[in-house]
Amino acid sequence: MPALLVLALLAERLIPIAEQWHPLTWVRLFATYLGKKVNKAEHGAAQQRLAGLLALLLVLLLIVLPLVIIWLGAELPDAIGFLLLWMCLRNQHQRKQLRWVEQATAKGHKRAARALLGREVLRDTDSLSAQGLIKTCAELRVFGVVEKQFAVALGWLSGGPLLVLVVRLSSELRRVWPYEQSLTRQFSLANEILFRLLHAIPYTLVAMLLWLYALLRGRKPVRFKHIPHNGWFRPQAWLLFCVSRVSQLGLGGPLKYRGHRYWRQRFAGISAEQAASKLWQWSWLSDVLLLLLAASALFVELLLRSIQA
């Protein structure tokens, strides 16, 4: 299984696939349609939470159960598992979109950059400055690596294809049912609980590695002080704090959904224009972390097999 993970990581980087034909795109479209049909603003909080729980169970039932049946009944289960892993590791489209946003911002085309970024997030982007665009791209790139690759890799090593599917689906549903937005706050509660249970360890591990990386680079570690607010995931906040220490970029700050401003903790740093050239560090650092994880798991598996033999 670790060897398949290495192959899937290489395939995700080298094999292109059109976003409109990727299965996860259809999952997001179905979840968006389902949310609009059953989540009504006039419903009470209890009814919205129940609707969100049933919607989550429906999505998992319609997607996970058939794929698990196919995987269990296949003559080559490793091949089916590899395809599922490659599908769940998919992050090419977001990397490409964020690179276009950063290029448009660097050229001064802020209107085009805001439009491109609006395709990746459901929150308001019309009023973002150049610094806000770069900060948002940095946060989305960090969260994408953790949720779409690191968490998926850990799920594959610890639970196989079934856990991989649930991990990636919870992340995709959180994207279309944002917990921070008041309209979907109660509706997305069930998926938010599932998301936090599955992603607490990946976020914490990556944050710890970045904290050690900053320490080895000679930067005096500053104690993370979490300021509670309505809806922010604590390990996610700690990760942004550690990324700001590595890149020296100021991250965090308020979010805006449907004209409403939602407060969020801010982490100090230099301006986005000064730190933009340093954000390449995260691109190669994420690949190194994933390959080290896969290589370590492969070494442990070979060691256990030699001991048993």
Side-chain angles (χ1 to χ4, degrees):
M1 292 183 70
L4 289 179
L5 175 59
V6 175
L7 293 177
L9 289 171
L10 295 175
E12 193 277 330
R13 283 286 185 174
L14 301 177
I15 301 177
I17 179 174
E19 183 68 11
Q20 61 268 26
W21 299 115
H22 196 277
L24 290 174
T25 302
W26 297 95
V27 171
R28 289 195 299 270
L29 292 174
F30 173 69
T32 302
Y33 169 79
L34 186 62
K36 291 180 178 179
K37 293 293 289 185
V38 301
N39 182 32
K40 304 295 183 181
E42 60 270 16
H43 293 167
Q47 189 173 356
Q48 289 180 351
R49 288 194 293 268
L50 178 60
L53 175 61
L54 295 177
L56 173 63
L57 293 177
L58 178 62
V59 171
L60 295 178
L61 181 65
L62 293 178
I63 297 174
V64 176
L65 184 59
L67 290 177
V68 170
I69 293 175
I70 294 174
W71 174 64
L72 292 176
E75 294 184 0
L76 297 174
D78 288 343
I80 302 298
F82 172 80
L83 291 176
L84 293 176
L85 177 60
W86 173 59
M87 177 189 70
C88 292
L89 283 171
R90 171 71 176 175
N91 197 27
Q92 286 185 8
H93 178 73
Q94 186 185 60
R95 288 196 301 265
K96 186 185 300 183
Q97 286 287 112
L98 296 180
R99 186 167 63 249
W100 288 346
V101 172
E102 291 169 343
Q103 291 174 354
T105 304
K107 295 178 181 178
H109 303 156
K110 290 190 290 185
R111 181 175 298 179
R114 291 164 183 162
L116 289 170
L117 186 60
R119 300 176 184 176
E120 289 299 312
V121 293
L122 291 180
R123 57 179 183 261
D124 300 344
T125 60
D126 297 338
S127 60
L128 287 177
S129 62
Q131 181 170 343
L133 288 168
I134 294 177
K135 285 173 58 177
T136 304
C137 288
E139 292 184 14
L140 290 178
R141 182 177 285 110
V142 170
F143 295 158
V145 168
V146 176
E147 296 174 12
K148 300 177 181 180
Q149 295 187 294
F150 200 80
V152 172
L154 284 178
W156 173 261
L157 295 175
S158 58
L162 176 59
L163 186 57
V164 162
L165 283 171
V166 177
V167 167
R168 186 59 193 266
L169 285 176
S170 68
S171 177
E172 294 297 321
L173 292 178
R174 194 176 193 261
R175 177 180 172 183
V176 297
W177 301 338
Y179 184 70
E180 296 85 359
Q181 187 176 348
S182 59
L183 181 63
T184 54
R185 172 66 55 82
Q186 300 299 329
F187 179 77
S188 62
L189 181 61
N191 182 67
E192 184 67 17
I193 294 173
L194 177 63
F195 174 86
R196 296 190 178 195
L197 288 174
L198 295 174
H199 289 81
I201 294 178
Y203 266 106
T204 303
L205 285 177
V206 176
M208 291 176 62
L209 291 173
L210 287 177
W211 188 86
L212 291 174
Y213 177 72
L215 188 62
L216 293 175
R217 290 287 301 273
R219 299 197 178 116
K220 183 179 179 181
V222 178
R223 183 180 178 184
F224 171 62
K225 183 179 180 181
H226 179 61
I227 303 176
H229 92 298
N230 192 15
W232 202 7
F233 189 25
R234 181 185 176 92
Q236 200 174 63
W238 187 34
L239 176 61
L240 280 190
F241 166 77
C242 294
V243 173
S244 69
R245 295 292 301 163
V246 172
S247 64
Q248 298 181 346
L249 174 64
L251 297 174
L255 303 177
K256 194 174 183 181
Y257 288 91
R258 297 177 177 266
H260 296 283
R261 196 177 181 88
Y262 297 89
W263 185 87
R264 197 174 61 154
Q265 188 173 353
R266 190 189 300 274
F267 304 110
I270 60 179
S271 67
E273 289 81 1
Q274 292 175 298
S277 61
K278 300 182 179 181
L279 293 178
W280 64 271
Q281 296 176 2
W282 178 255
S283 178
W284 69 260
L285 186 60
S286 63
D287 291 338
V288 170
L289 288 175
L290 289 166
L291 290 176
L292 283 176
L293 175 66
S296 300
L298 182 59
F299 174 76
V300 171
E301 183 179 9
L302 293 176
L303 182 62
L304 291 176
R305 288 184 178 181
S306 62
I307 293 175
Q308 292 175 355

